[in-house]
Amino acid sequence: FMRGLFPDAQARDHAVYGELLTRVLGPTTGVFRHGEAAKPTIDAVPVLDGEELPVGLVIAERYRITAELGRGGMGTVYLSEHVTVGRKVAVKVLTREWSAHETVARRFRDEARAASAAGHPNIVEVFDAGTLPDGRLYLVMEHLDGRSLYDELCNTGPMPIDRAVTIFREIARGIAAAHAVGIIHRDLKPDNVMLVERAGGTVVKLLDFGIAASADRAAEERRLTQPGHTLGTPEYMAPEQAKGRAPDARVDVYALGAMFYELIAGMPPF
């Protein structure tokens, strides 16, 4: 049913955001304490004419741009290095157009607060945030060198039950941690899950809390959309969410079920 309503939604989504989410790591640092986000900072760097940040540019006197990791419709992710400790980080920069959009800018800032508040090993760590002199917003997060769950499914097809259960359990733990602090992801899908190989095995990381909602906000505040508009990806969207109703934690539970079905069947349920 949902695929009939939105026949090309997944293709559009992957074209716009897939590259941006491919590489958004290393050990965590405690720049944010769990449960709080850093105060945005204004960078003392020249105002730039184009959208692209040049290699060598230092943001906030701490993060030197070393390469572009991916570009999407809403922004760009750069590989960067902390100038003091040498740690690799990913810097996610919103475009000028979207940074000037009040709703999107608020949602982007909420991503830092959401990921920081959850403070869980299965959620990508966001440990700094700020504003460039030209008004563009950015987040600094751990650099993940891995592959998305979507890419894994494309390459391998349906998974054996034991591997599917292992990955699903880690995703569920991350979502449970977010729900425990009142955060609803609202856009769970294979693209927003990264698989990172570490010495102890595969680590599962949840990404992109950019449209996350706080469960204790008033409905009109947490939707951040015009009446009748929806946020999410149709294949994993609960019917109530597709109708534009104010979300609660159950929309994530629905998406978890749709994702688990896809892990073992090789395709979404609808």
Side-chain angles (χ1 to χ4, degrees):
F1 171 73
M2 296 301 295
R3 193 182 296 276
L5 287 178
F6 307 94
D8 60 343
Q10 190 171 31
R12 293 200 317 270
D13 187 53
H14 293 151
V16 176
Y17 301 111
E19 192 176 27
L20 186 62
L21 294 172
T22 299
R23 293 181 175 270
V24 188
L25 179 173
T28 60
T29 64
V31 180
F32 277 9
R33 292 196 303 270
H34 292 163
E36 67 178 26
K39 295 180 179 179
T41 56
I42 304 296
D43 298 330
V45 297
V47 176
L48 303 168
D49 293 330
E51 291 287 349
E52 183 177 354
L53 298 183
V55 171
L57 178 71
V58 177
I59 296 175
E61 301 181 350
R62 294 188 293 278
Y63 311 109
R64 181 181 292 110
I65 302 295
T66 60
E68 182 179 309
L69 292 177
R71 183 183 296 268
M74 297 186 71
T76 305
V77 176
Y78 296 92
L79 177 64
S80 305
E81 181 181 67
H82 194 290
V83 297
T84 302
V85 301
R87 178 190 176 183
K88 290 183 178 180
V89 298
V91 178
K92 182 178 182 179
V93 182
L94 209 58
T95 65
R96 286 187 178 86
E97 178 184 2
W98 288 114
S99 293
H101 192 289
E102 180 181 355
T103 297
V104 174
R106 190 191 326 172
R107 199 176 299 150
F108 191 75
R109 293 187 182 99
D110 283 350
E111 179 173 359
R113 298 188 182 97
S116 178
H120 191 272
N122 291 122
I123 296 177
V124 64
E125 184 186 14
V126 178
F127 44 80
D128 207 349
T131 305
L132 296 176
D134 58 13
R136 280 183 289 172
L137 303 174
Y138 70 86
L139 301 178
V140 181
M141 63 192 78
E142 54 180 338
H143 171 241
L144 293 167
D145 188 6
R147 62 201 181 281
S148 74
L149 184 56
Y150 174 78
D151 289 335
E152 180 79 356
L153 284 166
C154 288
N155 292 332
T156 66
M159 295 182 178
I161 292 294
D162 56 346
R163 176 161 171 75
V165 168
T166 298
I167 292 174
F168 177 79
R169 181 173 58 235
E170 298 304 299
I171 297 171
R173 285 173 174 168
I175 288 300
H179 289 178
V181 294
I183 299 297
I184 308 160
H185 190 288
R186 295 206 295 184
D187 195 24
L188 281 175
K189 56 185 176 180
D191 304 76
N192 286 340
V193 177
M194 286 288 286
L195 306 178
V196 182
E197 298 302 326
R198 301 275 178 80
T202 302
V203 176
V204 178
K205 290 277 188 174
L206 293 177
L207 309 179
D208 205 9
F209 279 77
I211 66 170
S214 173
D216 59 1
R217 288 182 187 169
E220 63 272 16
E221 283 295 314
R222 66 176 180 249
R223 285 174 64 182
L224 297 180
T225 59
Q226 298 300 318
H229 289 201
T230 60
L231 293 171
T233 303
E235 289 87 346
Y236 314 96
M237 192 185 297
E240 295 81 4
Q241 187 179 6
K243 292 178 180 178
R245 296 179 185 174
D248 59 32
R250 291 173 292 183
V251 302
D252 287 345
V253 174
Y254 181 96
L256 280 171
M259 288 175 62
F260 187 57
Y261 180 98
E262 186 171 6
L263 292 183
I264 59 179
M267 64 181 67
F270 306 109

